[in-house]
């Protein structure tokens, strides 16, 4: 009988992210795809739609202020996400003990992928609406969304010591 090993756990004074080779390849591929979306100099409408949740609205009631905020902050937000993708790539390649900052970058990367998948699946935060659009519950994208949510939960558990 095999014993379950948490995919993210504490070790010594740090953390270990221990995914199987298929899962590692998948997460690295997804961060690469998201990196391509974020660095596309001329994204089409679909690409813009997919990444919209990565850039939260700061001024929902003031279009002018919002435009200025996005103009000033968007590149910094993109660079932050790209730096987190570099960290997750390094963490998954090295399979060594990492510090809290690196684990937070892993979490940010996983959550960025989840946000894009959420847009694809029409995930809603509204409690009066089903979580995903009809027919999506059996899709591979929804299975991936659930897997990444599970992985993110293990990161939070490791950080909180539970």
């Amino acid at each position: 009988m095999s014993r379950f090993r948490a995919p993210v756990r504490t070790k010594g004074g740090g953390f270990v992210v221990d995914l199987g080779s298929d899962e590692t390849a998948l997460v690295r591929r997804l961060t690469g795809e998201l990196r391509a979306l974020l660095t596309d100099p001329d994204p089409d409408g679909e690409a813009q739609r997919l990444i919209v949740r990565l850039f939260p609205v700061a001024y929902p009631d003031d279009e002018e202020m919002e435009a200025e905020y996005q103009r000033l902050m968007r590149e910094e937000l993109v660079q932050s996400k790209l730096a987190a993708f570099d960290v997750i790539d390094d963490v998954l390649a090295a399979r060594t003990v990492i510090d809290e900052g690196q684990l937070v970058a892993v979490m940010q990367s996983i959550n960025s992928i989840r946000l894009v998948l959420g847009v694809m699946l029409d995930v809603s935060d509204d409690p009066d609406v089903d979580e995903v659009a009809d027919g999506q519950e059996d899709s591979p994208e929804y299975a991936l969304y659930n897997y990444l949510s599970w992985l993110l939960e293990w990161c939070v558990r490791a950080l909180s010591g539970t």
Side-chain angles (χ1 to χ4, degrees):
M1 179 167 144
S2 69
R3 200 178 113 198
F4 174 75
R5 279 186 82 142
V8 182
R9 59 189 181 280
T10 59
K11 183 173 183 181
F15 305 92
V16 173
V17 178
D18 187 15
L19 305 182
S21 59
D22 290 341
E23 292 84 0
T24 296
L26 175 65
V27 170
R28 292 182 81 194
R29 189 190 89 218
L30 292 169
T31 56
E33 289 175 9
L34 190 46
R35 180 188 302 277
L37 274 175
L38 288 172
T39 58
D40 186 343
D42 190 26
D44 62 20
E46 178 63 8
Q48 289 179 359
R49 183 185 79 82
L50 289 174
I51 63 173
V52 70
R53 290 203 53 202
L54 299 178
F55 306 102
V57 174
Y59 299 96
D61 299 326
D62 188 333
E63 287 183 31
E64 189 176 310
M65 289 286 291
E66 178 60 24
E68 183 67 5
Y69 173 80
Q70 292 296 331
R71 185 184 71 77
L72 292 171
M73 297 303 299
R74 187 171 181 112
E75 186 58 31
E76 186 176 324
L77 291 169
V78 168
Q79 291 307 314
S80 172
K81 290 182 185 317
L82 295 176
F85 296 161
D86 289 341
V87 171
I88 196 171
D89 279 344
D90 292 345
V91 166
L92 294 176
R95 296 181 181 250
T96 61
V97 176
I98 61 173
D99 63 28
E100 183 176 324
Q102 290 169 301
L103 185 57
V104 169
V106 168
M107 293 172 63
Q108 290 169 335
S109 297
I110 292 169
N111 197 51
S112 292
I113 298 166
R114 283 182 66 254
L115 288 171
V116 171
L117 283 168
V119 171
M120 292 172 66
L121 294 164
D122 293 325
V123 170
S124 173
D125 293 334
D126 185 341
D128 296 328
V129 177
D130 287 338
E131 183 181 333
V132 295
D134 287 338
Q136 294 290 346
E137 299 89 0
D138 296 326
S139 70
E141 292 83 6
Y142 190 60
L144 180 56
Y145 180 84
N146 281 328
Y147 170 73
L148 293 171
S149 298
W150 175 81
L151 190 55
L152 190 57
E153 178 184 346
W154 279 102
C155 291
V156 170
R157 285 181 180 192
L159 274 175
S160 65
T162 59

